[in-house]
Amino acid sequence: MDYKNLLVEFKDGIATVKINRPKALNALNSETLDELKHVGNALNDNKDVRVVIVTGEGEKAFIAGADILEMKDMNALEGMTFSQRGHEAFSTFENMDKPVIAAVNGFALGGGFEVALACDIIYASDKAKVGFPEITLGIFPGFGGTQRTAKLIGLAKTKELIFSGKTITAQEAYEMGLINKVVPHEELMKEVTVLAEKIKANGPISMKLAKECINKSLFLDIESGLLLEAKDFGLCFGTKDQKEGMTAFVERRKPTFKGE
Ligand code: CAA
């Protein structure tokens, strides 16, 4: 499918999704949300794709939030539907069978930061700024920000960010535990690609199962979480990848994982 608001590139098992509305600093309108949901599902089904990278087109922004022009005249029901549209779109990335890396190349504000938080790993440029300015617009984060941020950094730090609407540097976000790594701006895509290549070399089935266990850990009590882990761990032993990984170790060679 051709997308109006996204650029999608494929290279050696790595798919890169770029939000492509640079004139509006990649703000998310309904059409872009629907395209994100579509591409998320398509990449999940594409067995040739092992890792997904999400980034923004242009020098200035990853995504400057939900589209304020579109939201301005919404009524209550339209606001709720818009929020749910965002939830559906971002959940396709969070629940994708494969790892998703956000490459935050500039402003990641409001709904933009919420996209990054739905990804598995966040690398950011040292020029990036992040935050939740929604409160200054008379709303609050509605694309998962209240839920995913609180689970990541706890209630108090989340409330400080959301109640103040302040924008913080990538370094500050790193120190709060919101992002994985800050890299020099020019090095961002190189560093993200190095990580993607390292991840890509590993077994896709064990990766999918590990992601499921880690994501579910936020919602399960310890007993249920450990049971899920034991079952998913056991499933690995039904794969050719597990036999290949351990045989390669014994034979002192690098494994070749086929996702079987
Ligand atoms: N929605 C729609 N358009 C936006 C936008 C947004 N979120 N952010 C930027 N733009 C547009 C601007 O209107 C401007 O368009 P024009 O050139 O046609 O006037 C263009 O992008 C460039 O923006 P600026 O001129 O403002 O650029 P700047 O460098 O002076 O400022 C900025 C950059 C600080 C990021 C500023 O654009 C800004 O504050 N943007 C809004 C950030 C924001 O409030 N995000 C939260 C949105 S609400 C939300 O996300 C809700 C939710 O959780 C679901």
Side-chain angles (χ1 to χ4, degrees), residues 3-106:
Y3 298 106
K4 262 175 77 182
N5 307 287
L6 304 177
L7 297 170
V8 186
E9 291 163 14
F10 297 91
K11 198 174 171 216
D12 301 332
I14 299 174
T16 302
V17 178
K18 263 189 191 177
I19 320 305
N20 184 31
R21 299 185 71 212
K23 283 190 184 142
L25 303 187
N26 301 324
L28 300 168
N29 57 9
S30 294
E31 192 178 50
T32 310
L33 294 175
D34 291 348
E35 290 187 358
L36 277 171
K37 181 177 163 188
H38 186 279
V39 80
N41 286 323
L43 294 176
N44 198 38
D45 292 345
N46 186 337
K47 297 281 171 266
D48 295 333
V49 173
R50 302 278 279 261
V51 183
V52 175
I53 297 170
V54 179
T55 192
E57 176 64 10
E59 276 299 298
K60 209 164 162 181
F62 175 69
I63 303 165
D67 192 317
I68 299 170
L69 301 187
E70 184 178 341
M71 285 186 293
K72 187 173 155 291
D73 296 319
M74 281 181 184
N75 62 30
L77 188 59
E78 288 164 343
M80 180 175 161
T81 306
F82 188 60
S83 167
Q84 288 172 326
R85 221 167 180 151
H87 293 161
E88 278 182 32
F90 301 0
S91 292
T92 59
F93 287 82
E94 185 169 55
N95 299 328
M96 207 181 274
D97 289 347
K98 41 205 108 190
V100 184
I101 308 170
V104 175
N105 56 309

Side-chain angles (χ1 to χ4, degrees), residues 228-244:
L228 176 70
E229 184 185 81
K231 286 184 173 170
D232 279 0
F233 183 75
L235 277 183
C236 293
F237 291 81
T239 67
K240 288 184 185 162
D241 282 353
Q242 176 268 334
K243 302 291 175 256
E244 164 65 7

Side-chain angles (χ1 to χ4, degrees), residues 109-177:
L109 299 176
F113 195 40
E114 291 169 291
V115 170
L117 291 170
C119 298
D120 298 307
I121 296 169
I122 307 176
Y123 274 23
S125 142
D126 56 1
K127 288 189 183 166
K129 294 222 163 71
V130 311
F132 294 116
E134 287 95 334
I135 211 86
T136 68
L137 298 165
I139 55 170
F140 67 88
F143 287 165
T146 59
Q147 304 304 300
R148 294 194 175 100
T149 317
K151 290 190 170 73
L152 202 56
I153 59 171
L155 302 187
K157 285 180 182 169
T158 302
K159 286 173 185 165
E160 184 186 344
L161 274 182
I162 291 179
F163 294 175
S164 68
K166 69 180 174 184
T167 296
I168 59 174
T169 62
Q171 183 61 29
E172 286 169 319
Y174 169 76
E175 284 160 16
M176 288 174 86

